[in-house]
Structure formats: C-alpha cells, structure tokens
Amino acid sequence: MITMDDIIREGNPTLRAVAKEVAFPLTEEEIELGHQMIEFLKNSQDPEKAKELHLRGGVGLAAPQLDISKRIIAVHVPSLDPEKTEPSLSTVMVNPKILSHSVQEACLGEGEGCLSVDREVPGYVVRAARITVTYYDLAGEKHKLRLKNYEAIVVQHEIDHLNGIMFYDHIDQANPLHLKDGVLVIE
C-alpha cells in the first residue's frame, strides 16, 4: 500500500527527469503499481482512511512521484454532482499523450497543489481548457478520451510530472495572480 512516505518531495531529481515509455506487455510489478496508485487516491479521498493512514487528499498521482521514472499516471476525480457517487474520471493511464488541446485556457480558482509539494504556492496555473488524450490501460488496451475543465487540468498536471514539469513552472513569477482576458476560472 502506498502512503505519504512513498511520495518523493520537490528537490528530488526524479521529479525533474523525463520518464521512460513503458513497454508492453506490462510486467506484474507495473500492473500492481497502477492498482496501488488508484487505491492510494481512493484512500486519500475517504476521510476516515485518510485520517487513519495520514494521507493528504489527491486526485492524481504519477509514477515519478513514487521515484519510479515510468510514464504511468493514475487519476481519480470525484463527481462534482452531489447526486452521483461514481467518480467523473477514474483510471490508470500508461504512456499518455495529449493529441490536441483547445485554444481556450482555464485554471483553478484556488490554484493547484501537489502531493510532492509541502507548501502553499499562490498563483494561477493556466492550462488548456480541453484536451484529447490517448493512453493504454493496465490490460494494454488503447483509449482516446476528450476531457474538459477540471478533469483536463488534472490529467495535464499528471502528464507534466512525466516530463519533469512541476505545476508552479506554469505560474507567472512576476505576477502570479494576473490572468489575461478569456481564461476560464474553475471554482
């Protein structure tokens, strides 16, 4: 089981490296890693389990954050609709690639955080509002997915980890709370 002790923090060189493509078929270890990454995210969003296991809440996790330089991410995004109990997006993505993105930009009103960053980093992280991504699941099946708004931002954040990019690299250092016209702010 993955805990906060397994997650490396900023300053570790693995977070700045470009992760390696994963070969198919996946190894048993890679499949188990994917399952454990999703389990961590689910546990981190369960208030009782998170407290018991001392987990910070997360919606995404990339293998490099576990000091494993492979192109594997997990996302578990709860539905924003209180009527729905199913997550809006819950999957492990192997070798994800962004095929296209919108001209329209978006950011989270509260800014972004990261399990590998133990400090508040104020500022808007502007990303594409919509993306089309391809990836392989743990069974080796190829998928193509169109995502928008929050789900698109989460997946872009995790794919950045595969490329050695931290969320705060996107913040305008001179003026972190300035947004150009037309950027969609997601609350």
Side-chain angles (χ1 to χ4, degrees), residues 95-159:
N95 297 335
K97 286 186 177 64
I98 295 173
L99 293 182
S100 62
H101 62 82
S102 62
V103 173
Q104 166 82 59
E105 294 176 316
C107 67
L108 300 181
E110 294 181 1
E112 290 184 23
C114 180
L115 294 167
S116 293
V117 179
D118 293 330
R119 61 190 172 96
E120 290 284 321
V121 183
Y124 292 117
V125 181
V126 178
R127 301 181 181 278
R130 292 178 305 285
I131 60 171
T132 300
V133 63
T134 61
Y135 66 94
Y136 294 88
D137 63 23
L138 294 175
E141 300 284 321
K142 189 170 187 179
H143 299 269
K144 183 175 177 181
L145 201 54
R146 286 187 175 85
L147 300 169
K148 64 181 184 177
N149 302 340
Y150 188 61
E151 289 88 355
I153 286 172
V154 170
V155 169
Q156 288 173 86
H157 177 115
E158 298 312 322
I159 289 175

Coordinates of all heavy atoms in Angstrom, one line a residue, residues 95-159:
N95 N 1.6 5.5 -20.7 CA 2.1 6.2 -21.9 C 1.1 7.2 -22.4 O 0.8 7.3 -23.6 CB 2.5 5.3 -23.0 CG 3.7 4.4 -22.6 OD1 4.5 4.7 -21.7 ND2 3.8 3.2 -23.2
P96 N 0.5 8.1 -21.5 CA -0.5 9.0 -22.0 C 0.1 10.1 -22.9 O 1.3 10.5 -22.6 CB -1.1 9.6 -20.7 CG 0.1 9.5 -19.7 CD 0.8 8.3 -20.1
K97 N -0.6 10.5 -23.9 CA -0.1 11.6 -24.8 C -1.3 12.5 -25.1 O -2.4 12.1 -25.4 CB 0.3 11.0 -26.2 CG 1.7 10.2 -26.1 CD 2.1 9.8 -27.5 CE 3.4 9.2 -27.6 NZ 3.5 7.9 -26.9
I98 N -1.0 13.8 -25.0 CA -2.0 14.8 -25.4 C -1.9 15.0 -26.9 O -0.9 15.4 -27.4 CB -1.8 16.1 -24.7 CG1 -2.0 15.9 -23.2 CG2 -2.7 17.2 -25.2 CD1 -1.7 17.1 -22.3
L99 N -3.0 14.6 -27.6 CA -3.0 14.7 -29.1 C -3.3 16.1 -29.5 O -2.8 16.6 -30.5 CB -4.1 13.8 -29.7 CG -3.9 12.3 -29.5 CD1 -5.1 11.6 -30.2 CD2 -2.6 11.9 -30.2
S100 N -4.3 16.8 -28.8 CA -4.7 18.1 -29.2 C -5.2 18.8 -27.9 O -5.6 18.2 -27.0 CB -5.7 18.1 -30.3 OG -6.9 17.4 -29.8
H101 N -5.2 20.1 -28.0 CA -5.8 20.9 -26.9 C -6.5 22.2 -27.4 O -6.2 22.6 -28.6 CB -4.7 21.3 -25.9 CG -3.6 22.1 -26.5 ND1 -3.7 23.5 -26.6 CD2 -2.4 21.8 -27.0 CE1 -2.6 24.0 -27.2 NE2 -1.8 23.0 -27.4
S102 N -7.3 22.7 -26.6 CA -8.1 23.9 -27.1 C -7.2 25.1 -27.0 O -6.2 25.2 -26.3 CB -9.3 24.1 -26.1 OG -8.9 24.3 -24.8
V103 N -7.6 26.1 -27.7 CA -7.0 27.5 -27.6 C -7.5 28.1 -26.3 O -6.7 28.8 -25.6 CB -7.4 28.3 -28.8 CG1 -7.0 29.8 -28.6 CG2 -6.9 27.8 -30.1
Q104 N -8.8 27.8 -25.9 CA -9.3 28.3 -24.7 C -8.5 27.8 -23.5 O -8.1 26.6 -23.5 CB -10.8 27.8 -24.5 CG -11.4 27.9 -23.1 CD -11.9 29.3 -22.9 OE1 -12.8 29.7 -23.6 NE2 -11.4 30.0 -21.9
E105 N -8.2 28.7 -22.6 CA -7.4 28.3 -21.4 C -8.2 28.3 -20.2 O -9.3 29.0 -20.2 CB -6.2 29.3 -21.3 CG -5.2 29.1 -22.4 CD -4.0 30.1 -22.3 OE1 -4.3 31.3 -22.0 OE2 -2.9 29.7 -22.5
A106 N -7.8 27.6 -19.2 CA -8.5 27.5 -17.9 C -7.5 27.4 -16.8 O -6.4 27.0 -17.0 CB -9.4 26.3 -17.9
C107 N -8.0 27.7 -15.6 CA -7.2 27.5 -14.4 C -8.2 27.2 -13.2 O -9.4 27.5 -13.3 CB -6.3 28.6 -14.1 SG -7.2 30.1 -13.6
L108 N -7.6 26.7 -12.1 CA -8.4 26.5 -10.9 C -8.4 27.8 -10.1 O -7.3 28.4 -9.9 CB -7.9 25.3 -10.1 CG -7.8 24.0 -10.8 CD1 -7.3 22.9 -9.8 CD2 -9.2 23.6 -11.3
G109 N -9.5 28.2 -9.7 CA -9.6 29.5 -8.9 C -8.8 29.5 -7.6 O -8.2 30.5 -7.2
E110 N -8.6 28.3 -7.0 CA -7.8 28.2 -5.8 C -6.4 27.8 -6.1 O -5.6 27.6 -5.1 CB -8.5 27.1 -4.9 CG -9.8 27.5 -4.4 CD -10.4 26.4 -3.5 OE1 -9.7 25.4 -3.2 OE2 -11.5 26.7 -3.0
G111 N -6.0 27.8 -7.3 CA -4.6 27.4 -7.7 C -4.5 25.9 -7.6 O -5.5 25.2 -7.3
E112 N -3.3 25.3 -7.8 CA -3.1 23.9 -7.8 C -2.2 23.6 -6.6 O -1.5 24.4 -6.1 CB -2.4 23.4 -9.1 CG -3.4 23.5 -10.3 CD -2.8 22.9 -11.6 OE1 -1.8 22.1 -11.5 OE2 -3.2 23.3 -12.6
G113 N -2.3 22.3 -6.2 CA -1.4 21.8 -5.2 C -0.8 20.5 -5.7 O -1.2 20.0 -6.8
C114 N 0.1 19.9 -4.9 CA 0.7 18.7 -5.4 C 1.2 17.9 -4.2 O 1.7 18.4 -3.2 CB 1.9 19.0 -6.3 SG 2.9 17.7 -6.9
L115 N 1.0 16.6 -4.2 CA 1.4 15.7 -3.1 C 2.9 15.7 -2.9 O 3.4 15.4 -1.8 CB 1.0 14.3 -3.4 CG -0.6 14.0 -3.4 CD1 -0.9 12.7 -4.0 CD2 -1.1 14.2 -2.0
S116 N 3.7 16.2 -3.9 CA 5.1 16.3 -3.8 C 5.6 17.6 -3.3 O 6.8 17.9 -3.2 CB 5.8 15.9 -5.1 OG 5.6 14.6 -5.5
V117 N 4.7 18.5 -3.1 CA 5.0 19.9 -2.7 C 4.3 20.2 -1.3 O 3.1 20.2 -1.2 CB 4.5 20.9 -3.7 CG1 4.8 22.4 -3.3 CG2 5.2 20.6 -5.1
D118 N 5.1 20.4 -0.3 CA 4.6 20.5 1.1 C 4.5 22.0 1.5 O 4.7 22.4 2.6 CB 5.5 19.8 2.1 CG 5.5 18.3 1.9 OD1 4.5 17.8 1.5 OD2 6.6 17.7 2.2
R119 N 4.1 22.8 0.5 CA 4.0 24.3 0.8 C 2.9 24.8 -0.1 O 2.6 24.3 -1.1 CB 5.3 25.0 0.6 CG 5.8 24.9 -0.8 CD 7.2 25.4 -1.0 NE 7.7 25.2 -2.3 CZ 7.7 26.0 -3.3 NH1 7.2 27.3 -3.1 NH2 8.2 25.7 -4.5
E120 N 2.3 25.9 0.3 CA 1.4 26.7 -0.5 C 2.1 27.4 -1.6 O 3.2 28.0 -1.3 CB 0.6 27.7 0.4 CG -0.4 27.0 1.3 CD -1.7 26.5 0.6 OE1 -2.2 27.2 -0.3 OE2 -2.1 25.4 1.0
V121 N 1.7 27.3 -2.8 CA 2.3 28.1 -3.9 C 1.2 28.9 -4.5 O 0.4 28.4 -5.3 CB 3.0 27.2 -4.9 CG1 3.6 28.0 -6.0 CG2 4.0 26.2 -4.3
P122 N 1.1 30.2 -4.1 CA 0.0 31.0 -4.7 C 0.2 31.3 -6.2 O 1.4 31.5 -6.6 CB 0.0 32.3 -3.9 CG 1.4 32.3 -3.3 CD 1.9 30.9 -3.2
G123 N -0.9 31.4 -6.9 CA -0.8 31.8 -8.3 C -1.6 30.9 -9.2 O -2.0 29.8 -8.8
Y124 N -2.0 31.5 -10.3 CA -2.8 30.8 -11.3 C -2.0 29.9 -12.2 O -0.9 30.3 -12.7 CB -3.6 31.7 -12.1 CG -4.7 32.4 -11.4 CD1 -4.7 33.8 -11.2 CD2 -5.8 31.8 -10.8 CE1 -5.7 34.5 -10.5 CE2 -6.7 32.4 -10.1 CZ -6.7 33.8 -9.9 OH -7.6 34.4 -9.2
V125 N -2.4 28.6 -12.4 CA -1.7 27.7 -13.2 C -2.6 27.6 -14.5 O -3.6 26.9 -14.4 CB -1.5 26.3 -12.5 CG1 -0.8 25.3 -13.5 CG2 -0.8 26.5 -11.2
V126 N -2.2 28.3 -15.5 CA -3.1 28.3 -16.7 C -2.7 27.1 -17.6 O -1.5 26.9 -18.0 CB -2.9 29.7 -17.4 CG1 -3.7 29.7 -18.7 CG2 -3.3 30.8 -16.5
R127 N -3.8 26.4 -18.0 CA -3.6 25.2 -18.9 C -4.7 25.2 -20.0 O -5.6 26.1 -19.9 CB -3.8 23.9 -18.0 CG -2.8 23.8 -16.9 CD -3.0 22.5 -16.2 NE -2.1 22.3 -15.0 CZ -0.9 21.8 -15.1 NH1 -0.3 21.6 -16.3 NH2 -0.1 21.7 -14.0
A128 N -4.7 24.3 -20.9 CA -5.7 24.2 -21.9 C -7.0 23.8 -21.2 O -7.0 22.9 -20.3 CB -5.3 23.1 -22.9
A129 N -8.1 24.4 -21.6 CA -9.4 24.0 -21.0 C -9.9 22.7 -21.5 O -10.7 22.0 -20.8 CB -10.4 25.1 -21.4
R130 N -9.5 22.2 -22.7 CA -10.0 20.9 -23.2 C -8.8 20.3 -23.9 O -8.0 20.9 -24.5 CB -11.1 21.1 -24.3 CG -12.4 21.6 -23.6 CD -13.5 21.9 -24.7 NE -13.1 22.8 -25.8 CZ -13.0 24.1 -25.7 NH1 -13.2 24.7 -24.6 NH2 -12.7 24.8 -26.8
I131 N -8.7 18.9 -23.7 CA -7.6 18.2 -24.3 C -8.2 16.9 -24.9 O -9.2 16.4 -24.4 CB -6.5 17.8 -23.3 CG1 -7.0 17.0 -22.1 CG2 -5.8 19.1 -22.9 CD1 -5.9 16.5 -21.2
T132 N -7.5 16.3 -25.8 CA -7.8 14.9 -26.3 C -6.5 14.2 -26.0 O -5.4 14.6 -26.4 CB -8.1 14.9 -27.8 OG1 -9.3 15.7 -28.0 CG2 -8.4 13.5 -28.2
V133 N -6.7 13.1 -25.2 CA -5.5 12.3 -24.8 C -5.7 10.8 -25.2 O -6.8 10.3 -25.3 CB -5.4 12.4 -23.2 CG1 -6.6 11.9 -22.5 CG2 -4.1 11.8 -22.7
T134 N -4.6 10.2 -25.6 CA -4.6 8.8 -25.8 C -3.7 8.1 -24.7 O -2.8 8.7 -24.2 CB -4.0 8.4 -27.2 OG1 -2.7 8.8 -27.3 CG2 -4.8 8.9 -28.3
Y135 N -4.1 6.9 -24.4 CA -3.3 6.2 -23.4 C -3.6 4.7 -23.5 O -4.6 4.3 -24.1 CB -3.6 6.7 -22.0 CG -5.0 6.5 -21.5 CD1 -5.3 5.3 -20.7 CD2 -6.0 7.3 -21.8 CE1 -6.6 5.1 -20.3 CE2 -7.3 7.1 -21.4 CZ -7.6 6.0 -20.6 OH -8.9 5.8 -20.2
Y136 N -2.9 3.9 -22.8 CA -3.1 2.5 -22.6 C -3.6 2.2 -21.2 O -3.0 2.8 -20.3 CB -1.9 1.6 -23.0 CG -1.5 1.8 -24.4 CD1 -0.7 2.8 -24.9 CD2 -2.0 0.9 -25.4 CE1 -0.3 2.9 -26.2 CE2 -1.7 1.0 -26.7 CZ -0.8 2.0 -27.1 OH -0.5 2.2 -28.5
D137 N -4.5 1.3 -21.0 CA -4.9 0.9 -19.7 C -4.0 -0.3 -19.2 O -3.1 -0.7 -20.0 CB -6.4 0.5 -19.6 CG -6.8 -0.7 -20.4 OD1 -5.9 -1.5 -20.8 OD2 -8.0 -0.8 -20.8
L138 N -4.2 -0.8 -18.0 CA -3.4 -1.9 -17.5 C -3.5 -3.2 -18.2 O -2.6 -4.0 -18.1 CB -3.7 -2.1 -16.0 CG -3.3 -0.9 -15.1 CD1 -3.8 -1.1 -13.7 CD2 -1.9 -0.5 -15.2
A139 N -4.6 -3.3 -19.0 CA -4.7 -4.5 -19.8 C -4.1 -4.4 -21.2 O -4.1 -5.3 -22.0 CB -6.2 -4.9 -20.0
G140 N -3.5 -3.2 -21.5 CA -2.9 -3.0 -22.8 C -3.8 -2.4 -23.8 O -3.4 -2.3 -25.0
E141 N -5.0 -2.1 -23.5 CA -6.0 -1.6 -24.4 C -5.8 -0.1 -24.6 O -5.5 0.6 -23.7 CB -7.4 -1.8 -23.9 CG -7.8 -3.2 -23.7 CD -8.1 -4.0 -25.0 OE1 -8.7 -3.4 -25.9 OE2 -7.7 -5.1 -25.0
K142 N -5.8 0.3 -25.9 CA -5.6 1.8 -26.2 C -7.0 2.5 -26.1 O -8.0 2.0 -26.5 CB -5.0 1.9 -27.6 CG -4.6 3.4 -27.9 CD -3.8 3.5 -29.2 CE -3.3 4.9 -29.3 NZ -2.5 5.0 -30.5
H143 N -6.9 3.7 -25.5 CA -8.1 4.6 -25.3 C -7.8 6.0 -25.9 O -6.7 6.4 -25.9 CB -8.5 4.7 -23.9 CG -8.8 3.4 -23.2 ND1 -10.1 2.9 -23.2 CD2 -8.0 2.4 -22.6 CE1 -10.1 1.7 -22.6 NE2 -8.8 1.4 -22.2
K144 N -8.9 6.6 -26.3 CA -8.8 8.0 -26.7 C -9.9 8.7 -25.9 O -11.1 8.3 -26.0 CB -9.0 8.2 -28.2 CG -8.9 9.6 -28.7 CD -9.0 9.5 -30.3 CE -8.9 10.9 -30.8 NZ -9.1 10.9 -32.3
L145 N -9.6 9.8 -25.3 CA -10.5 10.4 -24.4 C -10.5 12.0 -24.6 O -9.4 12.5 -24.7 CB -10.1 10.1 -22.9 CG -11.0 10.2 -21.8 CD1 -12.3 9.4 -22.0 CD2 -10.3 9.7 -20.5
R146 N -11.7 12.6 -24.6 CA -11.7 14.0 -24.6 C -12.1 14.5 -23.2 O -13.1 14.0 -22.6 CB -12.8 14.5 -25.6 CG -12.4 14.3 -27.0 CD -13.4 15.0 -28.0 NE -12.9 14.9 -29.3 CZ -13.1 13.8 -30.1 NH1 -13.7 12.8 -29.7 NH2 -12.6 13.9 -31.4
L147 N -11.3 15.4 -22.7 CA -11.6 15.9 -21.3 C -11.7 17.4 -21.4 O -11.1 18.1 -22.2 CB -10.4 15.5 -20.4 CG -10.2 14.0 -20.3 CD1 -8.8 13.7 -19.6 CD2 -11.3 13.3 -19.5
K148 N -12.5 17.9 -20.4 CA -12.6 19.4 -20.3 C -12.5 19.8 -18.9 O -12.8 19.0 -17.9 CB -13.8 19.9 -21.0 CG -15.1 19.4 -20.4 CD -16.3 20.0 -21.2 CE -17.6 19.6 -20.4 NZ -18.8 20.2 -21.1
N149 N -12.2 21.1 -18.7 CA -12.2 21.8 -17.4 C -11.4 21.0 -16.3 O -10.2 20.7 -16.6 CB -13.6 22.0 -17.0 CG -14.4 22.9 -18.0 OD1 -13.8 23.6 -18.8 ND2 -15.7 22.8 -18.0
Y150 N -12.0 20.6 -15.2 CA -11.3 20.1 -14.1 C -10.5 18.8 -14.4 O -9.3 18.6 -14.1 CB -12.2 19.9 -12.9 CG -11.5 19.5 -11.6 CD1 -10.5 20.3 -11.0 CD2 -11.7 18.3 -11.0 CE1 -9.9 20.0 -9.9 CE2 -11.1 17.9 -9.8 CZ -10.1 18.8 -9.3 OH -9.5 18.4 -8.1
E151 N -11.2 17.9 -15.1 CA -10.6 16.6 -15.5 C -9.4 16.9 -16.4 O -8.3 16.2 -16.3 CB -11.6 15.7 -16.2 CG -12.6 15.1 -15.2 CD -13.8 15.9 -15.1 OE1 -13.9 17.1 -15.6 OE2 -14.8 15.5 -14.4
A152 N -9.5 17.8 -17.4 CA -8.4 18.1 -18.3 C -7.2 18.7 -17.5 O -6.1 18.4 -17.8 CB -8.9 19.1 -19.3
I153 N -7.5 19.5 -16.5 CA -6.4 20.1 -15.7 C -5.7 19.1 -14.9 O -4.5 19.0 -14.9 CB -7.0 21.3 -14.8 CG1 -7.3 22.5 -15.7 CG2 -6.0 21.6 -13.7 CD1 -8.1 23.6 -15.0
V154 N -6.5 18.2 -14.3 CA -5.8 17.1 -13.5 C -4.9 16.2 -14.4 O -3.8 16.0 -14.0 CB -6.9 16.2 -12.8 CG1 -6.3 14.9 -12.2 CG2 -7.7 17.0 -11.8
V155 N -5.4 15.8 -15.6 CA -4.6 15.0 -16.4 C -3.3 15.7 -16.9 O -2.2 15.2 -17.0 CB -5.4 14.4 -17.6 CG1 -4.6 13.7 -18.6 CG2 -6.5 13.4 -17.0
Q156 N -3.5 17.0 -17.3 CA -2.3 17.8 -17.7 C -1.3 17.9 -16.6 O -0.1 17.8 -16.8 CB -2.8 19.2 -18.2 CG -3.5 19.2 -19.5 CD -4.1 20.6 -19.8 OE1 -3.4 21.4 -20.4 NE2 -5.3 20.8 -19.5
H157 N -1.7 18.1 -15.3 CA -0.8 18.2 -14.2 C 0.0 16.9 -14.1 O 1.2 16.9 -13.9 CB -1.7 18.4 -12.9 CG -0.9 18.5 -11.6 ND1 -0.8 19.6 -10.9 CD2 -0.2 17.5 -11.0 CE1 0.0 19.3 -9.8 NE2 0.3 18.1 -9.8
E158 N -0.7 15.7 -14.2 CA 0.0 14.5 -14.0 C 0.9 14.2 -15.2 O 2.0 13.7 -15.0 CB -1.0 13.3 -13.9 CG -1.9 13.4 -12.6 CD -1.1 13.8 -11.3 OE1 0.0 13.2 -11.2 OE2 -1.6 14.5 -10.5
I159 N 0.5 14.5 -16.4 CA 1.4 14.3 -17.6 C 2.6 15.2 -17.5 O 3.7 14.8 -17.8 CB 0.6 14.5 -18.9 CG1 -0.4 13.4 -19.1 CG2 1.6 14.6 -20.1 CD1 -1.3 13.5 -20.4

